Amino acid sequence: MKTNLILHQTHHTLADFDAIFQSTVELLKGDGLHVFPELYLTGYPLQDLVLQRPFIESYLEYLNDLDLWAKKASGSWRALIGGLHYEMENNGFPKKITNVIYEVVPGVGLKNLYSKRLLPNYDIFDEQKYFSAGTETAFYEFNGQLFGLQICEDMWASSVHELDPCKLMHDEVQKKGLKLAAVINLSASPFEAAKKKKRFDRARNISLLFGCPFVYVNRVGGEDEILFDGGSFIMAGSKLQLEMKSFEAESKTVALEEISGSYSEKPEIKAENTWEGLFSPRLNMESRPATLKVWTDEECEEVMKALIFGLQEYATKSGFKKFLVALSGGMDSALVLALVKIGLRPGQSFEAIYMPSVFSSPVSTELSEDMCRRLGIKLSYFPIKFLHSAVKNAFTQNFQEPFQGLTDENVQSRLRGTLLYTRSNQTGAMVINTSNKSELAVGYSTQYGDSVGAISLLGDLFKSEVYRLAEYVNKHHGNYIPEGIIKRGPSAELRENQLDQDSLPPYDRLDPMLEGILSYRLGKKQLLEAGFTETEITRVLNLYLKSEYKRAQFCPILKVKAKSFGFGYRMPMSKNISYQF
Amino acid sequence: MKTNLILHQTHHTLADFDAIFQSTVELLKGDGLHVFPELYLTGYPLQDLVLQRPFIESYLEYLNDLDLWAKKASGSWRALIGGLHYEMENNGFPKKITNVIYEVVPGVGLKNLYSKRLLPNYDIFDEQKYFSAGTETAFYEFNGQLFGLQICEDMWASSVHELDPCKLMHDEVQKKGLKLAAVINLSASPFEAAKKKKRFDRARNISLLFGCPFVYVNRVGGEDEILFDGGSFIMAGSKLQLEMKSFEAESKTVALEEISGSYSEKPEIKAENTWEGLFSPRLNMESRPATLKVWTDEECEEVMKALIFGLQEYATKSGFKKFLVALSGGMDSALVLALVKIGLRPGQSFEAIYMPSVFSSPVSTELSEDMCRRLGIKLSYFPIKFLHSAVKNAFTQNFQEPFQGLTDENVQSRLRGTLLYTRSNQTGAMVINTSNKSELAVGYSTQYGDSVGAISLLGDLFKSEVYRLAEYVNKHHGNYIPEGIIKRGPSAELRENQLDQDSLPPYDRLDPMLEGILSYRLGKKQLLEAGFTETEITRVLNLYLKSEYKRAQFCPILKVKAKSFGFGYRMPMSKNISYQF
């Protein structure tokens, strides 16, 4: 008897119970074993939502409806779906919440098969805050075949974990002399540049360990800063038997018999294909000074897709159909605008607003105009010279104290922030932030000025990665960014002849240093070993350590790296920093 | 032989190793058992700092120095100090981190006695993210007396926890027939209005359970939004034998013999004196509609002290000696300014800036002037009429589209934000935010406008609590706030004759509804049961659910409640909300 596996990588808004119910009913057609992602029934991550009474009550009601629907359904199918299981107190509060796999059995209803054992609790993950861990391995029988069940993190345990669900499952397989037809993993695994290869490496080794295919079903969704890319797949030994789309809902059917077979290779569990590889960054510590890995074209393509997806998700879920970007004539805003253009959907529009001050060079105006011509839009020109001097005069008048220096630089930036948001109020457009990760790390921006925005597209890309992506986008997705923007030296243009390089080390040294500080958590001693000079280290560490307060009030940043600023970056502002020097 | 207990409630900046070393050497004088707070050696909460290599290396070096110092020290004392214990990987990364009690033994060095068993992982607490839990009860012998050891949360376990360190200790005491001289708890327990009574209730019951005094040593410190109040104490049965200061470092010596004795009462462990009571809010669900408990004078005093302490901590640690507040003629900014005045230290100064627009009533000017007279400062007067109309004209000119309505309201607020920060840049003063919790909950503020600031003083106080505290402060700490400000109806003054009550339910209904939503996690159904009307519930839930994005970019809020906005409030922005109605 043929056994079909039907993989559904789904895409829904968090807690959109009606839509998810509807899609469940529609997707559960066709004989075989249907597999859905982790927490398919609710979406992920839910954070405090899982504790809210209206959420709990609605969820339990809808779970009950689903159970009733299944009781009345018929057919030769089964489904494995991710959901929440609540054990309630008498007072209506949850006593215990588990992240589980339900089996849907037509004519019978829902059965709770398995509770996730390895609850990720690092970086953006807070699962131990909300969920209790399962304690049992789960095997599942369908059509006379035996399957091992996992939820997401269960597959990733490394030597740093106290428990390895893969190993525990394998021990049981060996002890009981079982033969698995496949290991099935229901995932909600965030996107990260170049993560796909890591998933494949790990899957290959699990497949070889169990001598059966490894079936991986991941969700699709942009949840504020966190992006789920789908990319579900089946790995049979070293052979990728199926690979599904990135950032798009999709269903695929595969006959288990067609992907089965025996493998001659042996598994090789190395740190690199466990959690340690997943969460480790990609700084080349062998070279002196340490360098950042340059993204391949393929990696550029997936990062571009991720950023556009994340932007569209946030806009759609917040109800925006218009975008607004402040164009400066520099690299960051140009790339943001190009990405908006490439990702634009029917019914959407965007506006670029250029707000030159007395320090903006004529070249910036020309390049901004050129950029808009290429995009086929009109540049909204809004000079701030007059308002800038009006504020200056008012200060002289009210405080008998004219301002200058940094104050004068910040005024320009904050006036732009105010005007940009006024325009946003007027047109109902969503403001997209244009800061990059290098800037954010050293605080090279004005709070409530150029740092404003509903969401940050480039806040997880170092400046050198912004250039790399711009070059790629220009080459493969439309030559939107004028060469002049890519070639000119970066400048904030907030004072005469200002260049980033006056205040910061060159980006090819700054960026790897920052990656070392953020991802490898390095300090002065290790940075010296990595080949940086004492002068540049002191300068950069000082800027980084003193700008925590700016990052604390920054907008959500679309996350495309293992270590990003945002929800997973938790650093006290008030602290002694002297020991770092 | 007399046994002295010497309690040290200490106050240091996070990771200020040199200062902590110095203070350890200075405090360890006098015979007896010295007791320090949880994580005394590093400060708390450290969050990602515990993973940073420079932090780890400096800490381990200083721990070693302390060990060497102890080896050379002499005397008839011992010390119990809270610190971190690292188990390292070969690659320089931590494998396992525990939150421990070290014993300092003169002539011998440091000994790791105990690892915290109950790691709080709810709300602002992320201890399971960083620490591994201990698995053993610890008893400690000194001077022939036996002590039970705990760290903070260990004392609070309730029926929702899988493990109760108090109970486990008691089981062991009974099984082995031990007699304890005291239970000693090293704490780092955040302040919360009216929490003191809960600590006493719980302590009393633990003391009665073990038939010996309960010794509680808590740290002092303002860590961004989180405030540690000290208030260490000894509870012997129902008798409070010692109570130390709030929000101030202090050392106290007590002879164990003088506080010992036998108790006739029996312990009574109820939910209210466990974690459930600690973390539960104080909404009166018996009354219809539900009401907020009104703060007593004593509670007002401690909240006032907490806010001033938190402000001073943040300012000192960030290096500010000047404060800047935008005065509006309304209640919130008046209270903020009064608190700044009351807490002002030698060498510090503050400025009030009043920025009337065309919609500001003459009464607001008069009241602001009156307030400043009472405070003995000059009011900085900065009308925004001209800038406001200049922006308006520029929009008409550049976009052929004049703005009005909400856009016009927001412009005024954002111009004020820009001017306030320009003044801050010019004078080096720290901007104090003036938003309250009611406003924050319903998004009744302008992003980058009146919501700016380095830190929020009133962001954990509902508007009705702002009034209550203002009344208290005026009566007991100087009559700084003009009666006219307290009596007038709240208004944002961003359009003609605007009143808060045009957009919001009255605060005596809004505030308890918000407390229900935030602390009890109620939805429409439960709010209806609590006596609110469908109309007001729909209006408030709508405003609350749609303003998540404003709170996401808000400044740190001094936390004075169990449930506050800020680090412990984790709610996705992108989500379906329709099931809430």
Side-chain angles (χ1 to χ4, degrees):
Chain A
M1 192 168 57
K2 213 175 91 173
T3 301
N4 277 336
L5 292 177
I6 306 132
L7 280 54
H8 303 287
Q9 68 178 36
T10 51
H11 180 194
H12 292 106
T13 300
L14 287 191
D16 199 355
F17 302 134
D18 290 344
I20 302 170
F21 186 100
Q22 202 49 45
S23 115
T24 311
V25 171
E26 279 163 24
L27 292 172
L28 286 182
K29 284 168 186 156
D31 290 354
L33 181 60
H34 295 256
V35 186
F36 291 76
E38 176 183 15
L39 290 179
Y40 160 75
L41 292 176
T42 57
Y44 179 87
L46 298 156
Q47 302 170 24
D48 288 356
L49 260 191
V50 298
L51 305 173
Q52 307 300 112
R53 292 227 212 169
F55 175 91
I56 298 170
E57 291 186 7
S58 306
Y59 172 71
L60 293 178
E61 208 174 288
Y62 131 90
L63 198 64
N64 191 49
D65 289 348
L66 207 60
D67 184 59
L68 291 175
W69 171 84
K71 283 183 164 62
K72 290 183 201 152
S74 61
S76 298
W77 56 264
R78 296 288 185 278
L80 301 175
I81 60 178
L84 288 176
H85 176 73
Y86 280 94
E87 195 179 306
M88 300 296 287
E89 302 257 21
N90 293 334
N91 60 9
F93 285 100
K95 182 180 171 68
K96 194 173 163 183
I97 311 174
T98 38
N99 177 344
V100 306
I101 299 176
Y102 287 106
E103 181 192 18
V104 188
V105 189
V108 176
L110 264 58
K111 285 202 257 180
N112 180 353
L113 294 183
Y114 174 68
S115 300
K116 187 175 183 178
R117 302 189 68 170
L118 200 60
L119 299 174
N121 210 45
Y122 54 92
D123 203 71
I124 57 165
F125 300 104
D126 282 336
E127 289 195 27
Q128 291 171 27
K129 214 176 191 92
Y130 305 106
F131 305 148
S132 300
T135 53
E136 303 292 330
T137 297
F139 298 106
Y140 171 70
E141 207 183 314
F142 173 70
N143 249 4
Q145 310 260 26
L146 198 65
F147 299 89
L149 303 185
Q150 298 183 332
I151 301 180
C152 202
E153 195 82 356
D154 287 335
M155 72 185 267
W156 287 107
S158 78
S159 64
V160 302
H161 294 91
E162 288 182 8
L163 166 153
D164 180 348
C166 255
K167 191 183 169 300
L168 292 169
M169 184 184 282
H170 191 248
D171 290 350
E172 213 165 317
V173 162
Q174 295 221 298
K175 207 174 99 191
K176 299 184 177 162
L178 306 175
K179 174 68 193 132
L180 298 186
V183 173
I184 298 177
N185 185 300
L186 280 62
S187 270
S189 167
F191 169 79
E192 177 188 310
K195 190 179 191 178
K196 201 174 266 187
K197 192 188 165 300
K198 295 179 181 180
R199 287 184 188 143
F200 290 163
D201 276 356
R202 182 70 184 146
R204 176 177 168 275
N205 279 287
I206 298 177
S207 171
L208 293 174
L209 180 69
F210 287 93
C212 70
F214 179 82
V215 178
Y216 176 89
V217 182
N218 190 25
R219 79 188 290 266
V220 174
E223 313 307 341
D224 304 333
E225 62 182 67
I226 305 172
L227 310 174
F228 297 91
D229 58 330
S232 306
F233 63 85
I234 299 178
M235 187 67 79
S238 295
K239 192 161 175 208
L240 187 63
Q241 290 280 10
L242 172 74
E243 186 183 356
M244 289 166 68
K245 289 180 182 160
S246 290
F247 298 109
E248 225 175 290
E250 196 184 17
S251 295
K252 284 276 186 188
T253 303
V254 172
L256 187 58
E257 291 67 20
E258 286 165 23
I259 55 166
S260 298
S262 60
Y263 321 129
S264 53
E265 296 157 273
K266 292 274 160 265
E268 204 186 350
I269 309 288
K270 292 178 298 188
E272 296 89 88
N273 63 43
T274 64
W275 181 86
E276 291 170 70
L278 187 72
F279 198 62
S280 85
R282 289 166 300 283
L283 184 72
N284 183 355
M285 297 288 287
E286 304 303 310
S287 63
R288 295 283 179 274
T291 52
L292 264 182
K293 183 182 169 306
V294 176
W295 281 335
T296 62
D297 275 6
E298 199 186 335
E299 284 160 2
C300 283
E301 177 69 19
E302 64 175 11
V303 169
M304 186 198 78
K305 277 174 78 172
L307 296 177
I308 288 172
F309 174 77
L311 171 66
Q312 287 288 347
E313 281 282 285
Y314 187 83
T316 308
K317 292 173 182 178
S318 313
F320 287 107
K321 290 182 173 171
K322 295 178 183 175
F323 301 104
L324 181 59
V325 180
L327 205 57
S328 69
M331 187 66 260
D332 303 316
S333 58
L335 178 57
V336 166
L337 211 56
L339 293 173
V340 171
K341 168 74 179 180
I342 294 164
L344 210 69
R345 295 180 183 170
Q348 294 181 334
S349 64
F350 66 110
E351 180 178 13
I353 180 167
Y354 175 62
M355 296 173 281
S357 79
V358 64
F359 302 114
S360 303
S361 84
V363 177
S364 296
T365 312
E366 284 161 31
L367 289 169
S368 298
E369 280 168 352
D370 185 7
M371 174 105 201
C372 286
R373 263 195 306 274
R374 293 164 184 240
L375 294 166
I377 57 166
K378 190 178 134 298
L379 177 70
S380 297
Y381 189 78
F382 199 124
I384 63 162
K385 279 173 213 167
F386 174 72
L387 287 172
H388 178 196
S389 64
V391 173
K392 246 182 141 119
N393 292 339
F395 261 77
T396 310
Q397 196 184 322
N398 291 320
F399 296 112
Q400 288 75 51
E401 239 183 297
F403 55 70
Q404 53 203 6
L406 187 64
T407 308
D408 193 50
E409 295 183 28
N410 284 336
V411 164
Q412 299 163 62
S413 190
R414 291 201 180 103
L415 274 174
R416 288 188 180 120
T418 295
L419 298 172
L420 191 61
Y421 264 79
T422 304
R423 184 62 178 161
S424 158
N425 271 173
Q426 195 176 35
T427 64
M430 173 176 140
V431 173
I432 310 177
N433 171 275
T434 56
S435 301
N436 63 61
K437 193 172 189 170
S438 310
E439 249 172 55
L440 275 169
V442 294
Y444 196 66
S445 66
T446 302
Q447 200 177 25
Y448 317 125
D450 53 327
S451 67
V452 300
I455 200 151
S456 161
L457 242 61
L458 308 183
D460 208 11
L461 273 66
F462 291 116
K463 186 78 172 191
S464 46
E465 291 165 334
V466 169
Y467 278 102
R468 171 69 185 107
L469 188 61
E471 176 204 54
Y472 171 82
V473 162
N474 245 19
K475 194 165 163 195
H476 297 277
H477 293 274
N479 190 22
Y480 295 125
I481 305 170
E483 196 65 12
I485 290 180
I486 302 178
K487 290 274 182 280
R488 71 195 303 219
S491 165
E493 296 201 318
L494 293 171
R495 59 170 189 265
E496 212 71 66
N497 302 317
Q498 185 178 28
L499 283 175
D500 291 12
Q501 257 50 136
D502 304 339
S503 318
L504 305 172
Y507 286 110
D508 62 347
R509 294 185 72 84
L510 176 64
D511 292 348
M513 208 189 317
L514 292 173
E515 177 72 349
I517 294 169
L518 299 173
S519 294
Y520 280 88
R521 307 182 188 277
L522 307 183
K524 183 177 165 185
K525 188 183 136 198
Q526 298 85 15
L527 290 168
L528 281 169
E529 284 165 14
F532 297 102
T533 69
E534 175 139 8
T535 314
E536 61 191 358
I537 294 168
T538 304
R539 193 185 193 182
V540 169
L541 274 183
N542 230 317
L543 291 168
Y544 161 64
L545 292 166
K546 291 185 176 168
S547 51
E548 220 60 85
Y549 74 99
K550 291 189 183 179
R551 294 186 285 274
Q553 292 188 44
F554 196 67
C555 61
I557 298 165
L558 296 181
K559 183 175 170 65
V560 298
K561 303 264 184 75
K563 188 74 227 170
S564 320
F565 291 123
F567 188 61
Y569 176 84
R570 305 187 185 174
M571 197 62 81
M573 291 188 287
S574 300
K575 58 182 182 283
N576 173 49
I577 57 170
S578 64
Y579 68 85
Q580 302 244 35
F581 296 102
Chain B
M1 192 167 58
K2 212 175 91 172
T3 302
N4 277 335
L5 292 177
I6 307 133
L7 279 55
H8 302 287
Q9 69 177 35
T10 51
H11 179 195
H12 293 102
T13 300
L14 287 191
D16 198 355
F17 303 134
D18 289 345
I20 303 171
F21 187 99
Q22 200 51 45
S23 115
T24 312
V25 170
E26 280 163 24
L27 293 172
L28 286 181
K29 284 168 186 158
D31 290 356
L33 181 60
H34 295 256
V35 185
F36 291 77
E38 176 183 17
L39 290 178
Y40 160 74
L41 292 176
T42 57
Y44 178 86
L46 298 156
Q47 301 171 24
D48 287 356
L49 260 190
V50 298
L51 305 173
Q52 307 299 112
R53 291 228 214 170
F55 175 90
I56 299 171
E57 290 186 7
S58 305
Y59 173 71
L60 293 178
E61 208 174 288
Y62 132 91
L63 199 63
N64 192 49
D65 289 348
L66 207 59
D67 184 60
L68 291 175
W69 172 83
K71 281 183 165 64
K72 289 184 202 150
S74 60
S76 298
W77 55 264
R78 295 287 185 278
L80 301 175
I81 60 178
L84 289 174
H85 176 72
Y86 280 95
E87 195 180 308
M88 299 296 287
E89 301 257 21
N90 294 333
N91 60 9
F93 284 100
K95 183 181 171 65
K96 194 173 165 182
I97 312 175
T98 36
N99 178 345
V100 305
I101 299 176
Y102 286 107
E103 181 193 17
V104 189
V105 188
V108 176
L110 263 58
K111 285 202 257 181
N112 181 351
L113 293 184
Y114 174 68
S115 299
K116 187 175 183 177
R117 300 189 71 171
L118 199 60
L119 299 174
N121 210 46
Y122 54 91
D123 203 72
I124 56 165
F125 299 103
D126 282 336
E127 289 196 26
Q128 291 172 26
K129 216 175 190 93
Y130 305 106
F131 304 147
S132 300
T135 52
E136 304 291 329
T137 298
F139 298 106
Y140 171 69
E141 207 185 314
F142 174 70
N143 249 4
Q145 311 259 26
L146 197 66
F147 298 89
L149 302 185
Q150 299 184 331
I151 301 179
C152 202
E153 196 81 356
D154 287 335
M155 73 184 267
W156 288 106
S158 79
S159 64
V160 302
H161 294 92
E162 289 182 9
L163 167 152
D164 179 350
C166 256
K167 191 183 169 301
L168 293 169
M169 185 184 279
H170 190 247
D171 290 350
E172 215 165 314
V173 162
Q174 296 220 297
K175 207 173 102 190
K176 297 184 180 164
L178 305 175
K179 175 68 192 131
L180 298 186
V183 173
I184 297 177
N185 185 300
L186 281 62
S187 269
S189 168
F191 169 78
E192 178 188 310
K195 191 177 190 180
K196 199 174 268 188
K197 189 187 166 302
K198 296 180 181 180
R199 286 183 188 144
F200 290 163
D201 277 355
R202 183 70 183 145
R204 177 178 166 273
N205 279 287
I206 298 177
S207 172
L208 293 174
L209 180 69
F210 287 94
C212 69
F214 179 81
V215 178
Y216 176 87
V217 182
N218 189 25
R219 78 187 292 267
V220 173
E223 314 304 341
D224 303 337
E225 63 184 66
I226 304 171
L227 310 175
F228 297 91
D229 57 332
S232 307
F233 63 85
I234 298 178
M235 186 68 80
S238 294
K239 190 162 178 208
L240 186 62
Q241 291 279 8
L242 172 75
E243 186 184 355
M244 289 166 68
K245 288 179 181 162
S246 290
F247 298 111
E248 224 175 292
E250 196 184 18
S251 295
K252 284 275 186 189
T253 303
V254 172
L256 186 58
E257 290 68 20
E258 287 164 23
I259 56 167
S260 298
S262 60
Y263 321 129
S264 52
E265 296 157 90
K266 292 275 160 262
E268 202 186 352
I269 308 289
K270 293 179 297 189
E272 297 88 86
N273 63 41
T274 63
W275 179 86
E276 290 170 71
L278 187 72
F279 197 61
S280 87
R282 289 166 299 285
L283 185 70
N284 183 356
M285 298 287 287
E286 302 305 310
S287 62
R288 293 285 178 272
T291 51
L292 263 181
K293 183 182 169 308
V294 177
W295 282 334
T296 62
D297 275 6
E298 199 187 336
E299 283 160 4
C300 283
E301 176 70 20
E302 65 176 11
V303 169
M304 186 197 79
K305 277 174 78 172
L307 297 176
I308 290 173
F309 174 77
L311 171 67
Q312 286 288 348
E313 281 284 283
Y314 188 83
T316 309
K317 292 173 181 177
S318 311
F320 286 108
K321 291 185 172 168
K322 294 179 183 175
F323 301 104
L324 181 59
V325 179
L327 205 55
S328 69
M331 187 67 260
D332 302 317
S333 57
L335 179 57
V336 167
L337 211 55
L339 293 174
V340 171
K341 168 74 179 182
I342 295 165
L344 211 69
R345 295 180 183 171
Q348 293 182 335
S349 64
F350 67 109
E351 181 178 12
I353 178 168
Y354 175 61
M355 297 175 283
S357 82
V358 66
F359 302 114
S360 304
S361 85
V363 177
S364 296
T365 311
E366 283 159 33
L367 290 170
S368 298
E369 279 169 354
D370 185 8
M371 172 104 201
C372 286
R373 261 194 308 274
R374 292 163 184 239
L375 294 166
I377 56 167
K378 191 177 133 299
L379 177 71
S380 298
Y381 188 78
F382 199 123
I384 63 162
K385 282 174 213 168
F386 175 72
L387 288 171
H388 179 198
S389 65
V391 172
K392 247 181 139 122
N393 292 338
F395 261 76
T396 311
Q397 195 182 323
N398 291 320
F399 295 113
Q400 289 74 52
E401 240 181 298
F403 55 70
Q404 53 204 6
L406 189 63
T407 307
D408 193 50
E409 294 183 30
N410 284 335
V411 163
Q412 299 163 61
S413 190
R414 291 202 178 101
L415 274 175
R416 288 187 182 122
T418 295
L419 298 173
L420 192 61
Y421 264 80
T422 304
R423 185 62 178 161
S424 157
N425 271 173
Q426 195 177 31
T427 63
M430 173 176 140
V431 174
I432 309 177
N433 172 274
T434 56
S435 302
N436 63 63
K437 193 171 189 171
S438 310
E439 250 175 53
L440 275 168
V442 293
Y444 195 66
S445 66
T446 303
Q447 202 177 26
Y448 316 125
D450 54 325
S451 67
V452 300
I455 200 149
S456 161
L457 241 60
L458 308 182
D460 208 12
L461 274 65
F462 291 117
K463 187 78 170 191
S464 46
E465 292 166 332
V466 170
Y467 279 102
R468 172 71 185 106
L469 188 60
E471 176 203 52
Y472 172 82
V473 161
N474 245 20
K475 194 165 161 194
H476 297 278
H477 292 276
N479 190 22
Y480 296 125
I481 306 170
E483 197 65 8
I485 290 180
I486 301 177
K487 289 275 180 279
R488 70 195 304 218
S491 166
E493 296 200 319
L494 294 170
R495 61 172 188 265
E496 212 70 64
N497 301 319
Q498 184 177 28
L499 283 176
D500 290 13
Q501 257 49 134
D502 303 340
S503 319
L504 304 172
Y507 286 110
D508 62 347
R509 293 185 73 84
L510 177 64
D511 292 348
M513 208 189 317
L514 292 173
E515 178 71 348
I517 294 169
L518 299 173
S519 294
Y520 280 88
R521 308 182 186 280
L522 306 184
K524 184 178 164 183
K525 191 182 134 200
Q526 297 84 16
L527 290 168
L528 281 169
E529 285 165 13
F532 299 100
T533 70
E534 174 136 10
T535 315
E536 59 191 357
I537 293 169
T538 305
R539 190 185 198 184
V540 170
L541 274 182
N542 231 318
L543 292 169
Y544 161 64
L545 293 165
K546 290 184 175 167
S547 52
E548 220 60 86
Y549 74 98
K550 290 188 183 178
R551 294 185 284 274
Q553 294 188 42
F554 196 67
C555 60
I557 297 166
L558 295 182
K559 182 176 171 65
V560 298
K561 303 262 185 76
K563 188 73 228 170
S564 321
F565 291 123
F567 188 61
Y569 176 84
R570 305 190 184 171
M571 198 60 82
M573 291 187 289
S574 301
K575 58 181 182 287
N576 173 49
I577 57 170
S578 64
Y579 67 86
Q580 302 242 34
F581 296 103

